[in-house]
Amino acid sequence: YGPDNLCNDIDECTEGTHNCSSWPQATCTNIPGAFECACPAGFSGDGSACANIDECASGIHNCTNTLCIDTFGVFSCMCMPGHEHSDQFTCINVDECGTGTHNCSAQATCTDTNGAHYCECLPGYTGNGTVCENINECSGDPCHEEADCTDTPGSFNCSCRPGFNCSVPLSMFITFDPTITLRPSLDCRGSANPNPVITWFD
């Protein structure tokens, strides 16, 4: 009772006589003759008991192109590999080739894909793209029989031996004897033969 025998409202929230949830802490609001409890954001219940809301499982999150991670009372959006945050809810692709964060060999090309990239060895090299080794084309004997082959990084050179003259571009065959087929890589003309036979090929 108050003055003049009037009844005064008891503020249960201030006096701590309410039964609102203490963990997670619900909001207590005093109203005339009573009080109300409200669960905090991220929780559901009547206020006296509050349970975590799994925003990820319920689909009420706002993550975009990310992995939704539920935690107590909140959620977070985690980028998948090969992506980075443009804001706290959205992830975008990282161009590893453009940023130079790829793992391709210096002797490989880098091609960006969504969330990843792939590497491909340059012509004249072999490997998985992250490791590329020079191909020794000379081991396949690509030059004319009267030429020496010199392997170079990613390619090779043919040089005519002494007594032979280097002839036409790689797009021709040179033969001095119709029964002999020469390789197209490089043909060498015997200096004593003035009339080689030239055959074009595709």
Side-chain angles (χ1 to χ4, degrees), residues 57-89:
S58 61
I60 59 175
H61 62 84
N62 55 348
C63 295
T64 302
N65 199 31
T66 66
L67 179 64
C68 182
I69 305 296
D70 183 65
T71 55
F72 194 63
V74 294
F75 67 94
S76 60
C77 305
M78 185 178 74
C79 291
M80 301 295 286
H83 294 79
E84 64 183 4
H85 280 287
S86 59
D87 58 47
Q88 70 180 107
F89 303 113

Side-chain angles (χ1 to χ4, degrees), residues 5-201:
N5 294 325
L6 297 177
C7 293
N8 294 326
D9 177 55
I10 298 174
D11 189 341
E12 296 89 352
C13 299
T14 301
E15 295 186 3
T17 56
H18 62 80
N19 66 340
C20 297
S21 172
S22 59
W23 184 254
Q25 187 172 4
T27 301
C28 180
T29 302
N30 187 64
I31 58 176
F35 61 93
E36 293 178 342
C37 304
C39 293
F43 295 88
S44 63
D46 61 5
S48 61
C50 298
N52 175 59
I53 297 174
D54 188 339
E55 294 88 353
C56 300
S58 61
I60 59 175
H61 62 84
N62 55 348
C63 295
T64 302
N65 199 31
T66 66
L67 179 64
C68 182
I69 305 296
D70 183 65
T71 55
F72 194 63
V74 294
F75 67 94
S76 60
C77 305
M78 185 178 74
C79 291
M80 301 295 286
H83 294 79
E84 64 183 4
H85 280 287
S86 59
D87 58 47
Q88 70 180 107
F89 303 113
T90 307
C91 293
I92 58 176
N93 176 59
V94 175
D95 184 351
E96 296 89 353
C97 301
T99 59
T101 56
H102 60 81
N103 61 344
C104 297
S105 166
Q107 287 75 43
T109 57
C110 179
T111 302
D112 185 62
T113 60
N114 185 31
H117 67 280
Y118 69 87
C119 310
E120 185 175 8
C121 292
L122 295 170
Y125 293 87
T126 183
N128 59 10
T130 57
V131 176
C132 296
E133 298 180 350
N134 177 57
I135 297 173
N136 185 1
E137 293 88 353
C138 293
S139 63
D141 195 20
C143 299
H144 182 260
E145 60 187 10
E146 296 299 342
D148 294 321
C149 181
T150 303
D151 186 55
T152 61
S155 186
F156 66 97
N157 293 322
C158 298
S159 302
C160 289
R161 293 170 183 155
F164 290 84
N165 297 323
C166 293
S167 58
V168 295
L170 303 185
S171 57
M172 294 183 183
F173 282 111
I174 300 291
T175 61
F176 308 118
D177 183 341
T179 63
I180 299 176
T181 300
L182 302 183
R183 300 176 181 84
S185 303
L186 178 69
D187 296 313
C188 297
R189 182 184 306 174
S191 57
N193 190 329
N195 297 307
V197 177
I198 302 175
T199 304
W200 292 93
F201 72 95

